[in-house]
Amino acid sequence: MITLPRIMLAALVIIGGYVFVVAPRVDAYVNPSAQWQEKLAEPRPSFTPAPSAPGRKAPTFPAAGTGFFGVFTDKGPGDLTDYNGFVQAAGKNPQVMMFASGWGAQPHFDRQPFDRIVNRGMLPMLGWEPWDYRAASKTDRDRGTQPKYQLARISGGDFDAYITEWAKGIKELGYPVAIRFAHEMNGYWYPWCESANGNQRGDYVAAYRHVHDLFKGLGATNVIWVWSPNVVYENATPLSRLYPGDDYVDWVGLSGYYGTAGMETYQTFEQIYRGTLAELKTLSKRPIVVTETAATDERGRKADWITDLLQTLPKHPEIIGFLWYESVKETDWRIAASPAASAAFAKGIAQPYFDAHWTPDSVPRRTLATAAATPAASGSRSN
């Protein structure tokens, strides 16, 4: 969720022809007081877990040999306009929906966004962001400065009451929730980035582990923890300094887009993600989720990129799903905005590989698949 190019133009000139692709800033936040006009009409989810039986295992999400697809919109579950357009264009219901919540703007836990997602048959993923986005600067470098939200203050306990309220609320939901805490920490554009806001080396891991341990101590074990950097780039903070360890991570998430402003030269999914995927193999044994991606149509190749994406993902057994950013921000990222993009997306996810099925009693896949267990990945490297 970055604004315009995150890599300074001067660096791009020096690199000479190299085009780095990053995620745009989307600033997608749920403001319950403004957006939950229908909250009284939204029932709490009701579901009956499959009956237990000797030897029965809960279903794994996603099941071996499949991958999920999800959606991330600017307004989240508070306004389903873009979500509905996405479903119509895709011709198929997503299995995951992500929304963002900033600590400064959403001071209290509200279960309504989560319930609204689950009532539509999807796993909720919370982008949980320790800052006040309303006070953020419009420039990448300055928007990472908010001393109140320094990482050392999080690990030092200044926000424990806030974290505890959310942990108790999520525990009481009674169904799984994925939490993508303080994402894209290897950049410089958020107050929780280790290279910003007066943070020091080691502060990010300490803050992440502190939040995780508070949830665990309160029995909020229905959380899928998602550690989610941006795709690597020149001068980014090394991922090895930021990874909290497999004991603290269930899924590794990645952000990476084709075609942020000034970077419209075509690049395939492999060109954008290859270096980061290789680095992650040395750090983690957890499955990978592409938590943010989309493509520009500036050069008329959005449909081509989508086709490439959906043909490539099944060849990566380490990747178990992706979320498309279906909104208008720096450009119109929506598949619904283009008949060609809609057709390419619908064709791609019609593959049996994307027939993953989520239920509230599912358990997240936490181990890497292998090429042998993933028929669609013939010819790919296994983990």
Side-chain angles (χ1 to χ4, degrees), residues 250-271:
D250 298 304
W251 293 346
V252 171
L254 287 176
S255 302
Y257 288 61
Y258 154 54
T260 49
M263 299 182 179
E264 294 87 359
T265 300
Y266 187 77
Q267 286 198 319
T268 65
F269 174 86
E270 289 285 0
Q271 289 173 304

Side-chain angles (χ1 to χ4, degrees), residues 110-324:
D110 183 352
R111 68 175 292 149
Q112 290 296 320
F114 301 94
D115 286 348
R116 200 170 206 201
I117 292 170
V118 170
N119 280 338
R120 285 152 183 81
M122 297 179 290
L123 168 70
M125 183 180 291
L126 168 66
W128 211 26
E129 305 181 1
W131 70 328
D132 188 344
Y133 69 87
R134 301 167 300 181
S137 169
K138 299 300 181 183
T139 63
D140 276 352
R141 181 63 64 181
D142 294 336
R143 74 197 290 263
T145 303
Q146 289 192 8
K148 177 180 178 180
Y149 295 98
Q150 284 183 331
L151 291 168
R153 297 195 65 187
I154 298 174
S155 59
D158 289 8
F159 296 93
D160 281 5
Y162 177 83
I163 298 166
T164 295
E165 179 185 340
W166 280 71
K168 290 180 177 178
I170 288 174
K171 176 184 177 181
E172 291 173 1
L173 291 174
Y175 49 74
V177 170
I179 295 182
R180 183 194 189 213
F181 172 71
H183 65 294
E184 296 171 10
M185 74 301 293
N186 57 329
Y188 56 84
W189 43 85
Y190 288 126
W192 56 81
C193 293
E194 207 166 75
S195 63
N197 206 29
N199 297 319
Q200 303 296 315
R201 182 168 183 164
D203 282 352
Y204 180 84
V205 167
Y208 183 106
R209 289 179 175 176
H210 181 75
V211 172
H212 175 283
D213 288 345
L214 280 176
F215 272 71
K216 183 178 179 180
L218 292 165
T221 57
N222 56 322
V223 173
I224 303 166
W225 290 96
V226 184
W227 177 78
S228 186
N230 195 77
V231 290
V232 296
Y233 65 92
E234 179 118 2
N235 297 322
T237 304
L239 298 182
S240 59
R241 279 176 39 183
L242 302 169
Y243 189 60
D246 283 359
D247 289 344
Y248 290 85
V249 173
D250 298 304
W251 293 346
V252 171
L254 287 176
S255 302
Y257 288 61
Y258 154 54
T260 49
M263 299 182 179
E264 294 87 359
T265 300
Y266 187 77
Q267 286 198 319
T268 65
F269 174 86
E270 289 285 0
Q271 289 173 304
I272 297 167
Y273 282 84
R274 179 170 49 212
T276 310
L277 292 174
E279 185 171 347
L280 288 173
K281 288 181 179 180
T282 69
L283 294 178
S284 174
K285 298 186 183 303
R286 295 304 185 198
I288 294 170
V289 175
V290 176
T291 43
E292 284 185 47
T293 198
T296 183
D297 215 9
E298 183 70 22
R299 299 288 177 89
R301 301 205 63 183
K302 185 173 188 173
D304 292 340
W305 197 85
I306 290 170
T307 297
D308 171 72
L309 169 74
L310 299 178
Q311 289 177 346
T312 303
L313 287 178
K315 299 176 183 178
H316 282 274
E318 74 275 24
I319 300 176
I320 62 171
F322 77 99
L323 289 90
W324 186 267

